[in-house]
Amino acid sequence: MTTPRIYITRPLPEAAMRVLEGTVEYRAWDRDDEAVPRETLLREVVDVDGIICMITEKMDAEVIDRARRCRVISQVAVGYDNIDVAAATRRGIVVTNTPGVLTETTADMAWAILLATARRVVEGDKFTRSGRWKTWELMGFTGQDVYGATLGIVGMGRIGTAIARRGKGFAMPVLYHNRRRVDAALEQELGARAVGLDELLRESDFVVVSCALTPETRHLIGERELGLMRPTAVLVNIARGPIVDQRALYRALVDRKIWAAGLDVFETEPVPTDEPLLRLDNVVVPPHLGSASIKTRIRMATMAAENCVAGVTGKVPPNAVNREALEHR
Ligand code: GLV
């Protein structure tokens, strides 16, 4: 058997490269500060048996059609809405992701954003650095209490559950909205109650979006939904930008329909510098850092390498999201 060939769309950490060594030949895009240009991607996938890619690559039907030999598309992320899974399945290409390893790290980040937004940490930091700090002000930079407030989780999967579990330490009653109810035992452990989306939005002090982006969840949080939220409420989006209608969110923040927003994700990434939301002080905007701890990113890359090796050596990759692709070969 000839050595399988793969294409990697970013430099990977050493631990991940060790998984590949001796098993595959690879070519790679060699910059981490810039995504592989579309033209390069289209050219590079033509003769490879597998691809390791990131959320920055649009793996649509055009790319997939070019990748005629490809058996596996291994994504270094849990979400894979950038990949046309149906097109891959039709061509017998298995798509894989990296579930589980990033759950706790991403839940930590949801909380970092939630706390930073509620307590105006970023605004305060900028103020300290600016030299405008003249005195301790009684009502200066006052925010919203987190302890004891109601936490609303939209999407109670692995990450949503981990976010809810942290809420226990803050004595927060938890409401959640999910396609299906979680186990009664888990509900009890978390002190969580399943509710409709409207009720969640009306009753929560903090609404955290942690569901997958699908055709059903695109713009799930729009003008009507934001209008249901409390004027003191904070919206946190740790999932995917298009789940929230960004234009409607801007209006809701300007009109003080809601109090603040913490957004790790955006409808267009990187966020264009003229994005109106960036002008608002009550918005916290890390650049899609949910899973960005050193250990977790190394684990994700290693897991993606393992999925890819399995896929190009005739095994079923452990994290296949479309096993049915195998029937199309
Ligand atoms: C990151 O956004 C992921 O889906 O893992």
Side-chain angles (χ1 to χ4, degrees), residues 111-129 140-144 146 259-261 281-285:
W111 271 89
I113 295 170
L114 186 156
L115 288 165
T117 311
R119 298 300 304 276
R120 306 174 66 172
V121 174
V122 178
E123 254 185 289
D125 178 287
K126 285 186 194 146
F127 182 75
T128 304
R129 292 168 199 270
F141 290 104
T142 44
Q144 300 293 342
V146 177
W259 194 74
D281 286 333
N282 54 344
V283 176
V284 171
V285 284

PDB file of all heavy atoms in Angstrom, residues 111-129 140-144 146 259-261 281-285:
ATOM      1  N   TRP A 111     -17.848  31.247  31.221  1.00  0.00           N
ATOM      2  CA  TRP A 111     -17.912  31.916  32.522  1.00  0.00           C
ATOM      3  C   TRP A 111     -17.002  33.128  32.595  1.00  0.00           C
ATOM      4  O   TRP A 111     -17.339  34.140  33.218  1.00  0.00           O
ATOM      5  CB  TRP A 111     -17.617  30.910  33.647  1.00  0.00           C
ATOM      6  CG  TRP A 111     -18.905  30.295  34.060  1.00  0.00           C
ATOM      7  CD1 TRP A 111     -19.493  29.184  33.532  1.00  0.00           C
ATOM      8  CD2 TRP A 111     -19.804  30.827  35.006  1.00  0.00           C
ATOM      9  NE1 TRP A 111     -20.708  28.985  34.112  1.00  0.00           N
ATOM     10  CE2 TRP A 111     -20.913  29.978  35.029  1.00  0.00           C
ATOM     11  CE3 TRP A 111     -19.782  31.938  35.841  1.00  0.00           C
ATOM     12  CZ2 TRP A 111     -22.006  30.220  35.853  1.00  0.00           C
ATOM     13  CZ3 TRP A 111     -20.858  32.172  36.676  1.00  0.00           C
ATOM     14  CH2 TRP A 111     -21.962  31.311  36.673  1.00  0.00           C
ATOM     15  N   ALA A 112     -15.840  33.025  31.973  1.00  0.00           N
ATOM     16  CA  ALA A 112     -14.936  34.186  31.945  1.00  0.00           C
ATOM     17  C   ALA A 112     -15.651  35.361  31.278  1.00  0.00           C
ATOM     18  O   ALA A 112     -15.623  36.495  31.758  1.00  0.00           O
ATOM     19  CB  ALA A 112     -13.654  33.841  31.190  1.00  0.00           C
ATOM     20  N   ILE A 113     -16.326  35.080  30.186  1.00  0.00           N
ATOM     21  CA  ILE A 113     -17.027  36.135  29.441  1.00  0.00           C
ATOM     22  C   ILE A 113     -18.233  36.637  30.240  1.00  0.00           C
ATOM     23  O   ILE A 113     -18.499  37.839  30.313  1.00  0.00           O
ATOM     24  CB  ILE A 113     -17.475  35.612  28.054  1.00  0.00           C
ATOM     25  CG1 ILE A 113     -16.245  35.285  27.206  1.00  0.00           C
ATOM     26  CG2 ILE A 113     -18.361  36.622  27.351  1.00  0.00           C
ATOM     27  CD1 ILE A 113     -16.580  34.547  25.921  1.00  0.00           C
ATOM     28  N   LEU A 114     -18.953  35.677  30.825  1.00  0.00           N
ATOM     29  CA  LEU A 114     -20.133  36.056  31.612  1.00  0.00           C
ATOM     30  C   LEU A 114     -19.734  37.010  32.748  1.00  0.00           C
ATOM     31  O   LEU A 114     -20.312  38.089  32.928  1.00  0.00           O
ATOM     32  CB  LEU A 114     -20.798  34.783  32.150  1.00  0.00           C
ATOM     33  CG  LEU A 114     -22.130  34.906  32.881  1.00  0.00           C
ATOM     34  CD1 LEU A 114     -22.889  33.578  32.794  1.00  0.00           C
ATOM     35  CD2 LEU A 114     -21.988  35.316  34.333  1.00  0.00           C
ATOM     36  N   LEU A 115     -18.710  36.629  33.483  1.00  0.00           N
ATOM     37  CA  LEU A 115     -18.281  37.449  34.623  1.00  0.00           C
ATOM     38  C   LEU A 115     -17.698  38.782  34.150  1.00  0.00           C
ATOM     39  O   LEU A 115     -17.977  39.831  34.729  1.00  0.00           O
ATOM     40  CB  LEU A 115     -17.249  36.684  35.462  1.00  0.00           C
ATOM     41  CG  LEU A 115     -17.827  35.519  36.270  1.00  0.00           C
ATOM     42  CD1 LEU A 115     -16.721  34.599  36.769  1.00  0.00           C
ATOM     43  CD2 LEU A 115     -18.645  36.037  37.449  1.00  0.00           C
ATOM     44  N   ALA A 116     -16.896  38.720  33.094  1.00  0.00           N
ATOM     45  CA  ALA A 116     -16.275  39.949  32.588  1.00  0.00           C
ATOM     46  C   ALA A 116     -17.338  40.939  32.126  1.00  0.00           C
ATOM     47  O   ALA A 116     -17.218  42.155  32.336  1.00  0.00           O
ATOM     48  CB  ALA A 116     -15.325  39.627  31.440  1.00  0.00           C
ATOM     49  N   THR A 117     -18.401  40.408  31.497  1.00  0.00           N
ATOM     50  CA  THR A 117     -19.461  41.278  30.986  1.00  0.00           C
ATOM     51  C   THR A 117     -20.303  41.825  32.145  1.00  0.00           C
ATOM     52  O   THR A 117     -20.582  43.024  32.212  1.00  0.00           O
ATOM     53  CB  THR A 117     -20.346  40.512  29.977  1.00  0.00           C
ATOM     54  OG1 THR A 117     -19.504  39.855  29.036  1.00  0.00           O
ATOM     55  CG2 THR A 117     -21.281  41.450  29.235  1.00  0.00           C
ATOM     56  N   ALA A 118     -20.693  40.931  33.051  1.00  0.00           N
ATOM     57  CA  ALA A 118     -21.549  41.347  34.166  1.00  0.00           C
ATOM     58  C   ALA A 118     -20.862  42.391  35.033  1.00  0.00           C
ATOM     59  O   ALA A 118     -21.489  43.341  35.503  1.00  0.00           O
ATOM     60  CB  ALA A 118     -21.922  40.134  35.017  1.00  0.00           C
ATOM     61  N   ARG A 119     -19.550  42.222  35.232  1.00  0.00           N
ATOM     62  CA  ARG A 119     -18.825  43.086  36.169  1.00  0.00           C
ATOM     63  C   ARG A 119     -17.909  44.101  35.472  1.00  0.00           C
ATOM     64  O   ARG A 119     -17.086  44.722  36.102  1.00  0.00           O
ATOM     65  CB  ARG A 119     -18.063  42.210  37.165  1.00  0.00           C
ATOM     66  CG  ARG A 119     -18.987  41.326  38.014  1.00  0.00           C
ATOM     67  CD  ARG A 119     -19.986  42.147  38.848  1.00  0.00           C
ATOM     68  NE  ARG A 119     -19.276  43.098  39.688  1.00  0.00           N
ATOM     69  CZ  ARG A 119     -18.754  42.795  40.873  1.00  0.00           C
ATOM     70  NH1 ARG A 119     -18.918  41.585  41.367  1.00  0.00           N
ATOM     71  NH2 ARG A 119     -18.115  43.698  41.579  1.00  0.00           N
ATOM     72  N   ARG A 120     -18.097  44.234  34.176  1.00  0.00           N
ATOM     73  CA  ARG A 120     -17.455  45.304  33.385  1.00  0.00           C
ATOM     74  C   ARG A 120     -15.929  45.299  33.498  1.00  0.00           C
ATOM     75  O   ARG A 120     -15.288  46.344  33.586  1.00  0.00           O
ATOM     76  CB  ARG A 120     -18.058  46.645  33.790  1.00  0.00           C
ATOM     77  CG  ARG A 120     -19.566  46.608  33.678  1.00  0.00           C
ATOM     78  CD  ARG A 120     -20.244  47.840  34.186  1.00  0.00           C
ATOM     79  NE  ARG A 120     -19.942  49.018  33.398  1.00  0.00           N
ATOM     80  CZ  ARG A 120     -20.552  50.189  33.567  1.00  0.00           C
ATOM     81  NH1 ARG A 120     -21.502  50.310  34.470  1.00  0.00           N
ATOM     82  NH2 ARG A 120     -20.223  51.232  32.842  1.00  0.00           N
ATOM     83  N   VAL A 121     -15.373  44.100  33.491  1.00  0.00           N
ATOM     84  CA  VAL A 121     -13.929  43.949  33.697  1.00  0.00           C
ATOM     85  C   VAL A 121     -13.123  44.604  32.571  1.00  0.00           C
ATOM     86  O   VAL A 121     -12.121  45.276  32.824  1.00  0.00           O
ATOM     87  CB  VAL A 121     -13.565  42.439  33.814  1.00  0.00           C
ATOM     88  CG1 VAL A 121     -12.063  42.247  33.879  1.00  0.00           C
ATOM     89  CG2 VAL A 121     -14.237  41.816  35.027  1.00  0.00           C
ATOM     90  N   VAL A 122     -13.572  44.424  31.338  1.00  0.00           N
ATOM     91  CA  VAL A 122     -12.798  44.940  30.200  1.00  0.00           C
ATOM     92  C   VAL A 122     -12.866  46.468  30.150  1.00  0.00           C
ATOM     93  O   VAL A 122     -11.859  47.151  29.975  1.00  0.00           O
ATOM     94  CB  VAL A 122     -13.281  44.301  28.882  1.00  0.00           C
ATOM     95  CG1 VAL A 122     -12.514  44.857  27.696  1.00  0.00           C
ATOM     96  CG2 VAL A 122     -13.138  42.778  28.952  1.00  0.00           C
ATOM     97  N   GLU A 123     -14.076  47.001  30.367  1.00  0.00           N
ATOM     98  CA  GLU A 123     -14.238  48.464  30.424  1.00  0.00           C
ATOM     99  C   GLU A 123     -13.366  49.056  31.525  1.00  0.00           C
ATOM    100  O   GLU A 123     -12.702  50.075  31.344  1.00  0.00           O
ATOM    101  CB  GLU A 123     -15.689  48.756  30.827  1.00  0.00           C
ATOM    102  CG  GLU A 123     -16.587  49.248  29.759  1.00  0.00           C
ATOM    103  CD  GLU A 123     -17.935  49.592  30.407  1.00  0.00           C
ATOM    104  OE1 GLU A 123     -18.654  48.656  30.811  1.00  0.00           O
ATOM    105  OE2 GLU A 123     -18.252  50.788  30.510  1.00  0.00           O
ATOM    106  N   GLY A 124     -13.398  48.410  32.685  1.00  0.00           N
ATOM    107  CA  GLY A 124     -12.627  48.893  33.831  1.00  0.00           C
ATOM    108  C   GLY A 124     -11.130  48.829  33.551  1.00  0.00           C
ATOM    109  O   GLY A 124     -10.374  49.749  33.892  1.00  0.00           O
ATOM    110  N   ASP A 125     -10.698  47.764  32.895  1.00  0.00           N
ATOM    111  CA  ASP A 125      -9.284  47.598  32.550  1.00  0.00           C
ATOM    112  C   ASP A 125      -8.825  48.737  31.639  1.00  0.00           C
ATOM    113  O   ASP A 125      -7.790  49.371  31.868  1.00  0.00           O
ATOM    114  CB  ASP A 125      -9.120  46.222  31.884  1.00  0.00           C
ATOM    115  CG  ASP A 125      -7.701  45.956  31.431  1.00  0.00           C
ATOM    116  OD1 ASP A 125      -7.280  46.572  30.423  1.00  0.00           O
ATOM    117  OD2 ASP A 125      -7.006  45.140  32.063  1.00  0.00           O
ATOM    118  N   LYS A 126      -9.640  49.015  30.645  1.00  0.00           N
ATOM    119  CA  LYS A 126      -9.290  50.100  29.705  1.00  0.00           C
ATOM    120  C   LYS A 126      -9.198  51.434  30.449  1.00  0.00           C
ATOM    121  O   LYS A 126      -8.331  52.258  30.176  1.00  0.00           O
ATOM    122  CB  LYS A 126     -10.340  50.210  28.593  1.00  0.00           C
ATOM    123  CG  LYS A 126     -10.225  49.113  27.561  1.00  0.00           C
ATOM    124  CD  LYS A 126     -11.199  49.399  26.421  1.00  0.00           C
ATOM    125  CE  LYS A 126     -11.380  48.179  25.554  1.00  0.00           C
ATOM    126  NZ  LYS A 126     -12.740  48.082  25.020  1.00  0.00           N
ATOM    127  N   PHE A 127     -10.139  51.639  31.376  1.00  0.00           N
ATOM    128  CA  PHE A 127     -10.196  52.882  32.151  1.00  0.00           C
ATOM    129  C   PHE A 127      -8.923  53.045  32.994  1.00  0.00           C
ATOM    130  O   PHE A 127      -8.299  54.102  33.015  1.00  0.00           O
ATOM    131  CB  PHE A 127     -11.447  52.830  33.042  1.00  0.00           C
ATOM    132  CG  PHE A 127     -11.674  54.048  33.857  1.00  0.00           C
ATOM    133  CD1 PHE A 127     -12.149  55.213  33.269  1.00  0.00           C
ATOM    134  CD2 PHE A 127     -11.436  54.041  35.228  1.00  0.00           C
ATOM    135  CE1 PHE A 127     -12.387  56.345  34.031  1.00  0.00           C
ATOM    136  CE2 PHE A 127     -11.670  55.165  35.992  1.00  0.00           C
ATOM    137  CZ  PHE A 127     -12.143  56.324  35.403  1.00  0.00           C
ATOM    138  N   THR A 128      -8.517  51.981  33.667  1.00  0.00           N
ATOM    139  CA  THR A 128      -7.306  52.030  34.499  1.00  0.00           C
ATOM    140  C   THR A 128      -6.097  52.437  33.656  1.00  0.00           C
ATOM    141  O   THR A 128      -5.296  53.283  34.039  1.00  0.00           O
ATOM    142  CB  THR A 128      -7.043  50.648  35.137  1.00  0.00           C
ATOM    143  OG1 THR A 128      -8.209  50.257  35.859  1.00  0.00           O
ATOM    144  CG2 THR A 128      -5.844  50.677  36.070  1.00  0.00           C
ATOM    145  N   ARG A 129      -5.978  51.804  32.493  1.00  0.00           N
ATOM    146  CA  ARG A 129      -4.827  52.086  31.627  1.00  0.00           C
ATOM    147  C   ARG A 129      -4.866  53.498  31.042  1.00  0.00           C
ATOM    148  O   ARG A 129      -3.832  54.031  30.664  1.00  0.00           O
ATOM    149  CB  ARG A 129      -4.798  51.108  30.445  1.00  0.00           C
ATOM    150  CG  ARG A 129      -4.496  49.690  30.831  1.00  0.00           C
ATOM    151  CD  ARG A 129      -4.784  48.794  29.635  1.00  0.00           C
ATOM    152  NE  ARG A 129      -4.933  47.417  30.052  1.00  0.00           N
ATOM    153  CZ  ARG A 129      -3.921  46.549  30.122  1.00  0.00           C
ATOM    154  NH1 ARG A 129      -2.721  46.914  29.796  1.00  0.00           N
ATOM    155  NH2 ARG A 129      -4.147  45.310  30.526  1.00  0.00           N
ATOM    156  N   GLY A 140     -19.372  53.945  40.328  1.00  0.00           N
ATOM    157  CA  GLY A 140     -18.574  53.820  39.102  1.00  0.00           C
ATOM    158  C   GLY A 140     -18.458  52.361  38.656  1.00  0.00           C
ATOM    159  O   GLY A 140     -18.229  51.475  39.482  1.00  0.00           O
ATOM    160  N   PHE A 141     -18.642  52.108  37.397  1.00  0.00           N
ATOM    161  CA  PHE A 141     -18.502  50.769  36.801  1.00  0.00           C
ATOM    162  C   PHE A 141     -19.295  49.695  37.549  1.00  0.00           C
ATOM    163  O   PHE A 141     -18.867  48.553  37.645  1.00  0.00           O
ATOM    164  CB  PHE A 141     -17.027  50.356  36.710  1.00  0.00           C
ATOM    165  CG  PHE A 141     -16.276  51.148  35.686  1.00  0.00           C
ATOM    166  CD1 PHE A 141     -15.420  52.165  36.081  1.00  0.00           C
ATOM    167  CD2 PHE A 141     -16.456  50.907  34.339  1.00  0.00           C
ATOM    168  CE1 PHE A 141     -14.755  52.922  35.133  1.00  0.00           C
ATOM    169  CE2 PHE A 141     -15.795  51.658  33.386  1.00  0.00           C
ATOM    170  CZ  PHE A 141     -14.938  52.669  33.786  1.00  0.00           C
ATOM    171  N   THR A 142     -20.432  50.068  38.093  1.00  0.00           N
ATOM    172  CA  THR A 142     -21.241  49.065  38.779  1.00  0.00           C
ATOM    173  C   THR A 142     -21.906  48.162  37.732  1.00  0.00           C
ATOM    174  O   THR A 142     -22.338  48.621  36.674  1.00  0.00           O
ATOM    175  CB  THR A 142     -22.308  49.728  39.684  1.00  0.00           C
ATOM    176  OG1 THR A 142     -22.907  50.794  38.941  1.00  0.00           O
ATOM    177  CG2 THR A 142     -21.684  50.280  40.933  1.00  0.00           C
ATOM    178  N   GLY A 143     -21.946  46.877  38.054  1.00  0.00           N
ATOM    179  CA  GLY A 143     -22.478  45.904  37.102  1.00  0.00           C
ATOM    180  C   GLY A 143     -23.657  45.134  37.653  1.00  0.00           C
ATOM    181  O   GLY A 143     -24.408  45.638  38.496  1.00  0.00           O
ATOM    182  N   GLN A 144     -23.808  43.922  37.160  1.00  0.00           N
ATOM    183  CA  GLN A 144     -24.925  43.065  37.582  1.00  0.00           C
ATOM    184  C   GLN A 144     -24.402  41.938  38.482  1.00  0.00           C
ATOM    185  O   GLN A 144     -23.348  41.364  38.207  1.00  0.00           O
ATOM    186  CB  GLN A 144     -25.605  42.426  36.358  1.00  0.00           C
ATOM    187  CG  GLN A 144     -26.170  43.425  35.370  1.00  0.00           C
ATOM    188  CD  GLN A 144     -27.346  44.224  35.919  1.00  0.00           C
ATOM    189  OE1 GLN A 144     -27.981  43.840  36.907  1.00  0.00           O
ATOM    190  NE2 GLN A 144     -27.640  45.349  35.285  1.00  0.00           N
ATOM    191  N   VAL A 146     -23.972  38.322  39.867  1.00  0.00           N
ATOM    192  CA  VAL A 146     -24.016  36.981  39.273  1.00  0.00           C
ATOM    193  C   VAL A 146     -24.521  35.974  40.314  1.00  0.00           C
ATOM    194  O   VAL A 146     -25.403  35.165  40.022  1.00  0.00           O
ATOM    195  CB  VAL A 146     -22.611  36.578  38.761  1.00  0.00           C
ATOM    196  CG1 VAL A 146     -22.632  35.153  38.219  1.00  0.00           C
ATOM    197  CG2 VAL A 146     -22.130  37.568  37.693  1.00  0.00           C
ATOM    198  N   TRP A 259     -28.962  44.518  28.771  1.00  0.00           N
ATOM    199  CA  TRP A 259     -27.957  45.328  29.467  1.00  0.00           C
ATOM    200  C   TRP A 259     -26.563  45.237  28.837  1.00  0.00           C
ATOM    201  O   TRP A 259     -25.840  46.226  28.769  1.00  0.00           O
ATOM    202  CB  TRP A 259     -27.927  44.882  30.931  1.00  0.00           C
ATOM    203  CG  TRP A 259     -27.201  45.830  31.812  1.00  0.00           C
ATOM    204  CD1 TRP A 259     -27.643  47.056  32.237  1.00  0.00           C
ATOM    205  CD2 TRP A 259     -25.902  45.649  32.359  1.00  0.00           C
ATOM    206  NE1 TRP A 259     -26.687  47.639  33.025  1.00  0.00           N
ATOM    207  CE2 TRP A 259     -25.616  46.799  33.123  1.00  0.00           C
ATOM    208  CE3 TRP A 259     -24.962  44.614  32.282  1.00  0.00           C
ATOM    209  CZ2 TRP A 259     -24.422  46.952  33.808  1.00  0.00           C
ATOM    210  CZ3 TRP A 259     -23.774  44.768  32.970  1.00  0.00           C
ATOM    211  CH2 TRP A 259     -23.507  45.929  33.715  1.00  0.00           C
ATOM    212  N   ALA A 260     -26.194  44.036  28.410  1.00  0.00           N
ATOM    213  CA  ALA A 260     -24.837  43.862  27.864  1.00  0.00           C
ATOM    214  C   ALA A 260     -24.753  42.531  27.129  1.00  0.00           C
ATOM    215  O   ALA A 260     -25.637  41.679  27.256  1.00  0.00           O
ATOM    216  CB  ALA A 260     -23.807  43.897  28.990  1.00  0.00           C
ATOM    217  N   ALA A 261     -23.675  42.350  26.385  1.00  0.00           N
ATOM    218  CA  ALA A 261     -23.464  41.077  25.680  1.00  0.00           C
ATOM    219  C   ALA A 261     -21.985  40.710  25.702  1.00  0.00           C
ATOM    220  O   ALA A 261     -21.118  41.580  25.599  1.00  0.00           O
ATOM    221  CB  ALA A 261     -23.948  41.177  24.227  1.00  0.00           C
ATOM    222  N   ASP A 281     -19.535  50.015  24.598  1.00  0.00           N
ATOM    223  CA  ASP A 281     -18.763  49.658  25.801  1.00  0.00           C
ATOM    224  C   ASP A 281     -19.331  48.444  26.519  1.00  0.00           C
ATOM    225  O   ASP A 281     -18.614  47.767  27.250  1.00  0.00           O
ATOM    226  CB  ASP A 281     -18.766  50.839  26.784  1.00  0.00           C
ATOM    227  CG  ASP A 281     -17.848  51.935  26.304  1.00  0.00           C
ATOM    228  OD1 ASP A 281     -16.883  51.631  25.577  1.00  0.00           O
ATOM    229  OD2 ASP A 281     -18.111  53.105  26.649  1.00  0.00           O
ATOM    230  N   ASN A 282     -20.636  48.215  26.347  1.00  0.00           N
ATOM    231  CA  ASN A 282     -21.243  47.106  27.095  1.00  0.00           C
ATOM    232  C   ASN A 282     -21.204  45.781  26.313  1.00  0.00           C
ATOM    233  O   ASN A 282     -22.072  44.929  26.457  1.00  0.00           O
ATOM    234  CB  ASN A 282     -22.687  47.449  27.516  1.00  0.00           C
ATOM    235  CG  ASN A 282     -23.552  47.886  26.351  1.00  0.00           C
ATOM    236  OD1 ASN A 282     -23.049  48.224  25.285  1.00  0.00           O
ATOM    237  ND2 ASN A 282     -24.865  47.873  26.562  1.00  0.00           N
ATOM    238  N   VAL A 283     -20.174  45.639  25.505  1.00  0.00           N
ATOM    239  CA  VAL A 283     -19.990  44.396  24.747  1.00  0.00           C
ATOM    240  C   VAL A 283     -18.556  43.913  24.966  1.00  0.00           C
ATOM    241  O   VAL A 283     -17.619  44.691  24.831  1.00  0.00           O
ATOM    242  CB  VAL A 283     -20.245  44.639  23.238  1.00  0.00           C
ATOM    243  CG1 VAL A 283     -19.961  43.396  22.424  1.00  0.00           C
ATOM    244  CG2 VAL A 283     -21.693  45.068  23.010  1.00  0.00           C
ATOM    245  N   VAL A 284     -18.414  42.651  25.315  1.00  0.00           N
ATOM    246  CA  VAL A 284     -17.086  42.042  25.503  1.00  0.00           C
ATOM    247  C   VAL A 284     -16.852  41.079  24.345  1.00  0.00           C
ATOM    248  O   VAL A 284     -17.715  40.248  24.045  1.00  0.00           O
ATOM    249  CB  VAL A 284     -17.013  41.314  26.870  1.00  0.00           C
ATOM    250  CG1 VAL A 284     -15.728  40.497  26.996  1.00  0.00           C
ATOM    251  CG2 VAL A 284     -17.107  42.328  28.005  1.00  0.00           C
ATOM    252  N   VAL A 285     -15.710  41.207  23.682  1.00  0.00           N
ATOM    253  CA  VAL A 285     -15.550  40.520  22.395  1.00  0.00           C
ATOM    254  C   VAL A 285     -14.207  39.795  22.213  1.00  0.00           C
ATOM    255  O   VAL A 285     -13.373  40.208  21.422  1.00  0.00           O
ATOM    256  CB  VAL A 285     -15.727  41.520  21.213  1.00  0.00           C
ATOM    257  CG1 VAL A 285     -17.174  41.853  21.010  1.00  0.00           C
ATOM    258  CG2 VAL A 285     -14.910  42.798  21.422  1.00  0.00           C
TER     259      VAL A 285
END
